[in-house]
Amino acid sequence: MTGRSREVDVVIVGAGFAGLYAHHRLRALGLTLQGYESAADVGGTWWWNRYPGARCDVESMDYCYSFSPELEQEWRWSERYATQPEILRYVNHVADRFDLRRDIQFETRVTATTWDEQAQRWNVLTDRGDRISTQFCVMAVGCLSAPKQPEIAGMETFDGQILYTNQWPHEGVDLGGLRVGVVGTGSSGIQSIPLIAEQAAHVTVFQRTPNFTMPAKNAPLDPEAIRDRKSHYRDHRQAMRESRAGVVVPVPEQSALQVDSKAREAKFEAAWESGTLYGMVAAFNDLLVDRDANDTAAEFVRARIRKIVDDPDVAERLSPRNHPLGTKRPCLDSDYYATFNRANVTLVDVSSTPITGLTQRGIRTAADEYDLDVIVFATGFDAMTGSLLRANIVGAHGIALRDKWAAGPRTYLGIATAGFPNLFMVTGPGSPSVLVNMLVAIEQHVDWIADCIGYVCEQGSPSIDATLDAENAWVDHVNEVAGRTLFPSAASWYMGANVPGKPRVFMPYIGGLPQYTRVCESVAADDYRGFTLGPRLHPRGQSSAVRV
Ligand code: N01
């Protein structure tokens, strides 16, 4: 039913991995829930991103929920890196198994979220006319779900078909015999280009920034390896939680500059062959903090590109030189560099000759015009803040989140932001989020949020809000830790640099998952240090949410 007015304890925005787990966890507290999801079904990013080649770059057996030992035993992944359809099947299985669709209204976007000071509650409006009053809001909106516009002139003039990797048609697209242009060489472009090249008559890749990508070495999962993992899954999950990036990677102890070139080469070689996202950056302990050390890794990858790509000019154009390895999100690929050896693939460097616009027939650059039947934009997202800001959140004293964050996001622990009581962000800016295995980050956040809501209810208080002092100290810490690394030197989406006009602030927390989790746990153990409870509106125990 849409267009209704009612009251609940918690509104959960989003039905991807984060939103679904929030439903599971908060329902167990006996709270009344209302979920909203703009897509037609569950899955979040995996519902939208259906482009050819879309698959995860964290290993399947790590990129899944750990909250249910039964679930992890019964589900069987088929490949080392699962495809988007398989991940979506998994999400649907979880939704069915735990009856998680019950409180979710699909094809409904939250259009306004306003704090009512008097009632100490949020009023939520949707594009289908729903008006709902809720004590708590959990924003499970994803870090990479607000598509970024390509900012290219003349989009409406093109006579052919325009496709976006992040809104790929569900029925699929037959690119056979067509001239296809692909704009963008981040993870989405790098995954899709090899498959598009297998179908299309010709593919022209418009590359502004070459990216570092490593071979995924994807393969079917060995039944013996699955059995082995399942026999000690619980221990493995614990090891994941205790690891810096939420995946078990040996902790490097040596500097890249303290070993001879032969030993260094051997380490990089092993990392390259491991087919893991974190292998290269974790080969030595100083690759993300020392430019000279990083250069050794970057040069190893460039040498690999020269080895794979036949044409030395194309190899050079594919070679990243304007940012240290790992400071823009690295990619895992299947045959990306080798794809440029195909006769039907052309690489166009649009940093030296920028795209000036779309024309009726294709894409015009400062140097040439390319006739195309289809243009695929793999141009990315307004990362980390875009999906939160489009919910038009207005907090205490009528202050809009958009205004509060005009100079960049400010949060306490990446979970809360002062002046927006009872509003929780799952993997918000200022938390490890996109730098770690998202599934581990999501479960840690949702568990913390559920405990916090339980605490507020127990206290009989209508609200909880981060203090400005705690938030300022956390933001300083996030910046200070980032400042010790090479990350701020890259024009990355981590920095907001991919969206014109967006403030340049390093958004995720880079201190590592274990350190971050310890801080969250100590905050909770210390009666939610850095938060204040709102004055009781009713006698103790009578807040509108069900007591736990
Ligand atoms: O987006 P991106 P994405 N003219 O921002 C280019 C996750 N993910 O969708 O670098 C020309 O990385 C832009 O160029 P530049 C993962 O975290 C995961 O690929 O700004 N080019 C860049 O090359 C990933 O990092 C998976 O100079 C333009 C590209 O478009 C994140 O999502 C799979 C342009 C955008 O790359 C985002 O990845 C997919 C313009 N006007 C995504 N505007 C896996 O799990 C933008 N570009 C494997």
Side-chain angles (χ1 to χ4, degrees):
M1 191 173 76
T2 57
R4 57 193 178 170
S5 301
R6 59 192 202 103
E7 290 199 354
V8 291
D9 297 325
V10 191
V11 160
I12 298 168
V13 188
F17 275 108
L20 288 179
Y21 184 47
H23 277 269
H24 180 69
R25 198 60 176 70
L26 293 169
R27 186 188 288 164
L29 296 184
L31 301 168
T32 55
L33 311 177
Q34 175 63 59
Y36 292 114
E37 165 58 58
S38 61
D41 206 343
V42 296
T45 196
W46 299 105
W47 191 90
W48 291 99
N49 289 265
R50 298 173 185 238
Y51 58 83
R55 66 171 76 236
C56 190
D57 57 14
V58 171
E59 296 192 25
S60 318
M61 293 197 73
D62 290 350
Y63 191 82
C64 48
Y65 291 116
S66 74
F67 70 81
S68 162
E70 297 78 24
L71 171 67
E72 76 187 1
Q73 288 298 325
E74 77 198 15
W75 184 262
R76 190 183 173 90
W77 293 104
S78 68
E79 289 181 79
R80 181 182 188 191
Y81 294 107
T83 60
Q84 173 271 335
E86 188 171 14
I87 298 172
L88 200 54
R89 279 199 297 281
Y90 171 76
V91 177
N92 274 281
H93 169 76
V94 175
D96 292 341
R97 193 187 191 288
F98 297 96
D99 188 19
L100 299 177
R101 288 189 185 81
R102 189 176 15 158
D103 298 312
I104 303 173
Q105 187 174 309
F106 293 99
E107 296 181 301
T108 306
R109 183 175 289 288
V110 167
T111 51
T113 313
T114 310
W115 178 246
D116 178 341
E117 200 92 47
Q118 201 80 42
Q120 297 279 288
R121 295 174 69 82
W122 288 98
N123 291 323
V124 175
L125 302 184
T126 76
D127 62 356
R128 301 187 77 174
D130 307 277
R131 311 175 72 84
I132 196 157
S133 163
T134 177
Q135 187 174 1
F136 301 99
C137 259
V138 175
M139 305 302 292
V141 289
C143 297
L144 293 153
S145 46
K148 177 191 98 90
Q149 294 311 310
E151 307 108 18
I152 293 175
M155 295 286 283
E156 64 297 341
T157 56
F158 180 54
D159 273 347
Q161 189 179 13
I162 290 181
L163 297 169
Y164 296 88
T165 47
N166 50 35
Q167 292 156 74
W168 199 263
H170 287 201
E171 62 282 10
V173 188
D174 181 4
L175 298 171
L178 300 177
R179 298 162 302 172
V180 181
V182 181
V183 181
T185 51
S187 298
S188 306
I190 281 173
Q191 285 190 328
S192 58
I193 287 163
L195 278 113
I196 293 174
E198 282 175 14
Q199 295 177 43
H202 195 91
V203 182
T204 309
V205 177
F206 297 86
Q207 171 195 267
R208 191 163 64 184
T209 309
N211 224 323
F212 290 98
T213 174
M214 274 70 73
K217 309 272 176 189
N218 186 41
L221 276 172
D222 169 27
E224 191 45 50
I226 295 177
R227 256 194 306 279
D228 181 52
R229 172 62 52 80
K230 286 189 174 178
S231 70
H232 62 274
Y233 227 147
R234 296 284 87 197
D235 294 341
H236 180 75
R237 297 292 197 180
Q238 191 53 30
M240 286 167 65
R241 284 182 212 109
E242 286 165 10
S243 72
R244 220 185 140 74
V247 288
V248 180
V249 179
V251 179
E253 279 166 12
Q254 280 177 311
S255 155
L257 304 175
Q258 280 169 352
V259 296
D260 63 29
S261 59
K262 209 167 150 207
R264 198 162 50 225
E265 188 78 5
K267 261 269 169 65
F268 288 144
E269 174 80 29
W272 179 271
E273 291 303 321
S274 73
T276 58
L277 191 60
Y278 300 98
M280 280 300 289
V281 290
F284 292 99
N285 64 11
D286 51 356
L287 296 181
L288 293 173
V289 294
D290 183 307
R291 186 70 199 236
D292 291 336
N294 192 287
D295 280 345
T296 64
E299 186 43 37
F300 174 89
V301 176
R302 288 191 288 262
R304 281 301 163 129
I305 299 171
R306 289 192 289 274
K307 212 163 152 182
I308 300 168
V309 178
D310 298 339
D311 181 332
D313 284 346
V314 175
E316 181 50 33
R317 272 181 276 142
L318 285 168
S319 296
R321 292 191 185 275
N322 81 344
H323 62 282
L325 180 140
T327 57
K328 287 182 93 162
R329 170 71 156 62
C331 311
L332 274 194
D333 71 86
S334 296
D335 299 327
Y336 178 67
Y337 292 126
T339 295
F340 291 89
N341 294 333
R342 294 176 66 110
N344 72 334
V345 177
T346 307
L347 179 67
V348 177
D349 172 4
V350 292
S351 64
S352 56
T353 55
I355 295 175
T356 53
L358 263 56
T359 65
Q360 213 174 340
R361 287 168 33 192
I363 290 182
R364 183 179 290 140
T365 70
D368 224 329
E369 182 164 356
Y370 299 85
D371 289 353
L372 302 165
D373 302 306
V374 177
I375 301 175
V376 175
F377 286 102
T379 40
F381 300 88
D382 181 356
M384 306 205 67
T385 54
S387 49
L388 287 162
L389 295 180
R390 68 181 172 178
N392 292 313
I393 303 168
V394 177
H397 313 297
I399 293 173
L401 188 62
R402 189 174 291 282
D403 293 333
K404 177 176 173 180
W405 286 6
R410 300 187 70 80
T411 71
Y412 182 36
L413 305 174
I415 295 178
T417 184
F420 295 77
N422 292 3
L423 183 109
F424 298 99
M425 295 167 273
V426 184
T427 64
S431 76
S433 59
V434 292
L435 296 176
V436 307
N437 178 352
M438 286 301 295
L439 265 289
V440 184
I442 283 168
E443 288 191 329
Q444 185 264 338
H445 258 199
V446 170
D447 286 342
W448 193 95
I449 290 166
D451 289 348
C452 180
I453 288 176
Y455 171 81
V456 176
C457 297
E458 263 173 19
Q459 298 300 308
S461 172
S463 60
I464 187 164
D465 194 6
T467 69
L468 214 44
D469 284 348
E471 176 175 296
N472 289 340
W474 183 250
V475 171
D476 287 349
H477 175 60
V478 170
N479 289 333
E480 193 258 323
V481 181
R484 285 188 235 142
T485 73
L486 298 172
F487 277 87
S489 66
S492 64
W493 58 253
Y494 297 138
M495 293 289 295
N498 65 329
V499 177
K502 190 166 172 172
R504 293 212 179 187
V505 177
F506 188 74
M507 292 183 284
Y509 175 60
I510 201 174
L513 205 55
Q515 154 71 8
Y516 174 78
T517 304
R518 271 195 298 278
V519 174
C520 290
E521 284 170 356
S522 91
V523 164
D526 200 5
D527 284 335
Y528 292 87
R529 185 177 68 246
F531 287 89
T532 51
L533 290 173
R536 291 194 187 105
L537 297 178
H538 311 291
R540 186 178 169 86
Q542 299 301 307
S543 81
S544 66
V546 176
R547 282 173 57 89
V548 287

